[in-house]
Amino acid sequence: MQITLRQFEYFLALAETGQVSKAALRCNVSQSSVTIALRNLEQSVGTPLFVRHAKGLHLTDAGERFARHAQNVTGAFARAMEDMRAEPDELSGCLRLGVTETISAYLMPAVIAAVGQRFPNLRLEVVERDRAEVEQGLLAGKLDLALAIVSNLTRFDKLQYDTMLKSPRRLWTHPDHPFQHADKVRLADVARADYVMLDMDEHIETVGKYWGRQGLHPRVRFQSRSPEAVRSLVALQQGVTILSDLVYRPWSLEGRRILRRDLSDEVPTMDIGGVWRKRGGLGKGGEALMGFLHASIKGLAHV
């Protein structure tokens, strides 16, 4: 049976939401359409992609692998459409792009490759700085554009942004952790467990804000600036963590499994966006690049 782009879209919506009803709402179709598409897709690939449970669906190991391929397919399609709609060689010269640590680690290599293919005459200078330095670089005219976690921005009076990706934050655990089998998990439950804290791109401040709204704080056992170290510690049953889907990978460097699940309490998404100075605007080159990045970044991000 031939696999269609629509099946990929339904599958990715299911992978992100974990529920047929939410996936159908996101894709603006009936629940039966999503269910049929998933059944046909699993028949085509010859293996189950989800495990069904009382709360919805979880990706299987095969589903995790297939999700990465599906993201590549849908992302390539989005970039192909953008390329066909755009005029050839419309952007040239030099553009200075500031990025923060998370963007550099998880999006920048693919972004640089995609921009180079789409705009061969553009010289993209990428500068990695912390959020405060990126903001200052934009205000001083040393940067033309930036990619950053826009919820961390402070200079809203002089900077403008366009959100390109909202990455949900979920609970990460070892597969055998009791949280994976609970009907629901609240922040208050997580507060009683050992916690592995990522110290990257002002993440600690973000954690303090949404935990603090409930008068809670995590019981931090380990803290690291390395996402791989955090991933390994969770996989080795040294604690749990809450991080965004953008940085999620189902396996640690040691080849151990990591699962994620939704929390019953509201946790803010990690919002990635383009940022520029209000005064003077983006300019023609910035607008062209921003349009391309907006169409590309969601496809470049993993589920």
Side-chain angles (χ1 to χ4, degrees):
M1 186 179 297
Q2 187 175 7
I3 297 176
T4 67
L5 183 63
R6 189 172 297 276
Q7 285 175 312
F8 279 128
E9 293 171 349
Y10 292 174
F11 166 75
L12 290 174
L14 271 172
E16 187 169 335
T17 63
Q19 294 183 5
V20 172
S21 58
K22 291 181 179 179
L25 187 63
R26 174 173 297 189
C27 297
N28 196 29
V29 296
S30 66
Q31 293 185 37
S32 61
S33 296
V34 174
T35 301
I36 293 170
L38 175 60
R39 184 174 66 242
N40 291 340
L41 186 60
E42 290 183 322
Q43 290 176 352
S44 296
V45 300
T47 187
L49 300 174
F50 289 93
V51 175
R52 280 73 172 173
H53 58 89
K55 299 285 289 183
L57 304 97
H58 281 313
L59 286 167
T60 62
D61 290 352
E64 294 280 5
R65 298 197 307 273
F66 191 75
R68 293 194 288 274
H69 294 302
Q71 282 284 11
N72 290 335
V73 169
T74 56
F77 177 78
R79 293 190 295 275
M81 294 302 294
E82 177 66 21
D83 186 62
M84 290 301 99
R85 294 185 183 118
E87 297 178 5
D89 301 327
E90 66 180 32
L91 189 56
S92 61
C94 177
L95 192 143
R96 298 159 298 179
L97 177 69
V99 298
T100 53
E101 195 172 9
T102 301
I103 310 300
S104 180
Y106 289 93
L107 288 178
M108 222 44 241
V111 165
I112 290 173
V115 170
Q117 184 176 11
R118 172 63 188 86
F119 302 110
N121 297 320
L122 174 69
R123 185 162 64 93
L124 188 67
E125 291 186 0
V126 180
V127 180
E128 180 184 330
R129 297 287 187 271
D130 63 31
R131 187 267 314 157
E133 291 176 309
V134 166
E135 288 186 343
Q136 186 56 40
L138 289 168
L139 295 175
K142 296 179 180 179
L143 297 173
D144 302 303
L145 184 65
L147 291 174
I149 302 174
V150 295
S151 51
N152 292 346
L153 297 175
T154 61
R155 299 303 304 271
F156 295 106
D157 57 331
K158 294 185 177 181
L159 295 176
Q160 192 167 340
Y161 69 90
D162 177 26
T163 301
M164 300 173 176
L165 175 69
K166 288 181 175 287
S167 183
R169 287 187 169 97
R170 306 183 205 270
L171 176 69
W172 297 11
T173 79
H174 182 273
D176 295 331
H177 197 285
F179 283 159
Q180 288 296 336
H181 309 291
D183 289 337
K184 64 179 181 179
V185 180
R186 303 167 299 164
L187 279 179
D189 301 319
V190 180
R192 292 190 288 271
D194 288 335
Y195 197 87
V196 185
M197 178 73 79
L198 177 64
D199 181 8
M200 180 181 182
D201 233 349
E202 300 178 284
H203 178 67
I204 292 178
E205 290 81 353
T206 300
V207 170
K209 289 177 183 177
Y210 71 81
W211 282 74
R213 285 198 292 267
Q214 297 199 32
L216 298 168
H217 61 272
R219 192 173 74 186
V220 179
R221 184 180 179 192
F222 298 103
Q223 182 171 314
S224 175
R225 293 186 60 85
S226 166
E228 294 303 334
V230 171
R231 212 183 319 275
S232 291
L233 287 165
V234 171
L236 291 168
Q237 304 187 62
Q238 298 303 305
V240 302
T241 194
I242 300 172
L243 289 172
S244 77
D245 285 356
L246 177 68
V247 303
Y248 173 75
R249 301 294 182 267
W251 304 95
S252 71
L253 289 176
E254 300 80 15
R256 294 177 179 267
R257 190 89 167 93
I258 301 162
L259 295 183
R260 57 187 166 171
R261 65 161 294 166
D262 291 327
L263 291 157
S264 59
D265 295 321
E266 183 178 352
V267 177
T269 57
M270 184 174 74
D271 298 348
I272 303 295
V275 191
W276 64 95
R277 185 174 56 170
K278 287 183 179 178
R279 183 179 178 182
L282 275 169
K284 183 179 178 181
E287 288 180 359
L289 182 61
M290 179 67 77
F292 176 76
L293 291 175
H294 201 129
S296 300
I297 278 183
K298 192 167 185 178
L300 293 173
H302 291 295
V303 168

